[in-house]
């Protein structure tokens, strides 16, 4: 299902690193955002997320949403490969300084955001200034206690959905493979992270354990647990008041870390080759 972007946001197709996607552009952008859509690795597209991704345009971001490959036709690590290619394209094709760039995503897109940061760090690619993760799915082994404790707390998202969908994406990979389930990755040396999750979500423990492990690894992490909101509530812009508030808080966090990077002593512009 397609959604319309916020009024005043321009939408145009694009390709980065050979990956198709969509640009969402405000009139006067001041920073850039790579937004990785959710959908349990089997659903979703830039078109389904225009309203959510475009809501960052209201806060001065020029946004690219990659149309990464989906399971079951394309299992792990195809989605991650596409997200990395799009990120590298932002730096090499668009000439964007990573210090003026952030990454964000919800649900599976939040898990992809974290996996992307780990892969970029390990590959020596300059990292973005910060990242925002909304209800990230970080554990495809599905071991969080909230998967049972919060089952049936929502109308559409149940714990018996998680493992079959995870298996479709994993395509035979070990569910604790760090780049598939970044909860089990080395999280040291990552940029500042903001994590939002609902108190009643199945993925509450995916977020809470991520925050605990990232903080223990020395990362800067801002964490907020929201009462009485459904999974992926940021998609409900204009319907659920907390949706706009969550995006506004995330945008403020990202902008602040981008400003911090710009003001850092000895800062130099950084690029990567195509």
């Amino acid at each position: 299902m397609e959604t319309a972007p916020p009024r005043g946001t321009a939408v145009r197709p694009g390709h980065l690193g050979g990956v198709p996607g969509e640009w969402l552009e405000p009139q006067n952008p001041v920073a850039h955002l790579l937004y990785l859509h959710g959908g349990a690795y089997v659903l979703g597209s830039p078109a389904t997320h225009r309203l959510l991704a475009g809501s960052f345009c209201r806060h001065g971001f020029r946004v690219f949403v990659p149309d990464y490959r989906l399971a079951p036709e394309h299992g792990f690590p195809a989605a991650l490969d596409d997200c990395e290619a799009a990120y590298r394209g932002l730096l090499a094709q668009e000439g964007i300084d990573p210090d003026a760039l952030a990454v964000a995503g919800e649900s599976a897109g939040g898990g992809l955001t974290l996996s992307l940061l780990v892969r970029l760090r390990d590959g020596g690619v300059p990292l973005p200034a910060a990242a925002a993760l909304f209800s990230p799915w970080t554990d495809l082994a599905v071991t969080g206690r909230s998967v049972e404790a919060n089952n049936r707390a929502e109308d559409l998202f149940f714990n018996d959905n998680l493992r079959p969908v995870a298996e479709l994406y994993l395509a035979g990979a070990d569910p604790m493979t760090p780049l598939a389930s970044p909860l089990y990755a080395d999280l040291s040396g990552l940029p500042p992270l903001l994590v939002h999750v609902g108190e009643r979500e199945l993925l509450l423990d995916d977020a809470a354990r991520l925050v605990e492990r990232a903080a223990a690894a020395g990362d800067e992490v801002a964490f907020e647990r929201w009462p009485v909101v459904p999974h992926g509530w940021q998609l409900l812009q204009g319907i659920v008041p907390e949706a706009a508030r969550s995006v506004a808080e995330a945008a403020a966090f990202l902008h602040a870390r981008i400003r911090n990077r710009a003001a850092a002593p000895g800062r130099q512009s950084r690029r990567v080759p195509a």
Side-chain angles (χ1 to χ4, degrees):
M1 182 181 69
E2 293 189 4
T3 59
R7 186 174 300 174
T9 301
V11 180
R12 63 179 179 86
H15 283 76
L16 287 175
V19 179
E22 284 188 349
W23 285 103
L24 298 106
E25 299 171 317
Q27 290 186 345
N28 298 297
V30 296
H32 295 83
L33 177 70
L34 179 67
Y35 192 86
L36 308 181
H37 71 78
Y41 298 101
V42 299
L43 298 170
S45 71
T48 63
H49 281 63
R50 284 175 187 152
L51 185 56
L52 170 51
S55 66
F56 280 93
C57 295
R58 291 175 170 170
H59 300 280
F61 284 96
R62 179 178 180 238
V63 183
F64 185 78
V65 185
D67 194 9
Y68 60 81
R69 289 170 290 172
L70 299 175
E73 292 81 5
H74 305 283
F76 171 79
L80 180 58
D81 291 344
D82 289 351
C83 293
E84 180 184 9
Y87 181 89
R88 287 176 174 268
L90 285 169
L91 274 57
Q93 289 174 230
E94 294 290 314
I96 294 170
D97 190 325
D99 291 349
L101 174 61
V103 184
E106 102 285 350
S107 194
L112 279 172
T113 296
L114 189 61
S115 294
L116 174 63
L117 297 177
V118 171
R119 182 182 270 189
L120 294 173
R121 179 204 62 199
D122 292 348
V125 180
L127 293 168
L133 291 72
F134 301 135
S135 306
W137 191 9
T138 64
D139 178 16
L140 273 65
V142 193
T143 65
R145 288 178 295 178
S146 59
V147 171
E148 297 297 333
N150 287 347
N151 191 31
R152 305 290 168 174
E154 299 183 279
D155 292 333
L156 296 176
F157 197 34
F158 308 136
N159 64 11
D160 53 4
N161 298 337
L162 289 180
R163 288 184 179 86
V165 173
E167 290 173 2
L168 291 177
Y169 174 61
L170 289 166
D174 186 330
M176 290 188 177
T177 300
L179 288 179
S181 294
L183 180 66
Y184 304 107
D186 171 11
L187 301 178
S188 61
L190 300 185
L193 305 173
L194 174 138
V195 181
H196 285 178
V197 70
E199 287 276 5
R200 303 189 305 179
E201 292 194 58
L202 269 66
L203 299 184
L204 171 61
D205 280 356
D206 279 47
R209 291 180 295 164
L210 156 64
V211 168
E212 180 181 353
R213 295 183 185 192
D219 299 325
E220 176 190 347
V221 190
F223 183 38
E224 186 171 358
R225 297 160 62 129
W226 294 64
V228 199
V229 291
H231 178 71
W233 77 93
Q234 295 83 4
L235 287 160
L236 303 175
Q237 299 287 318
I239 301 174
V240 175
E242 292 90 344
R245 284 168 36 205
S246 178
V247 169
E249 289 185 17
F253 177 91
L254 299 176
H255 277 304
R257 274 62 190 178
I258 288 171
R259 290 193 298 270
N260 290 348
R261 281 272 192 99
R267 174 186 176 275
Q268 295 181 343
S269 179
R270 296 175 293 166
R271 301 285 190 272
V272 297

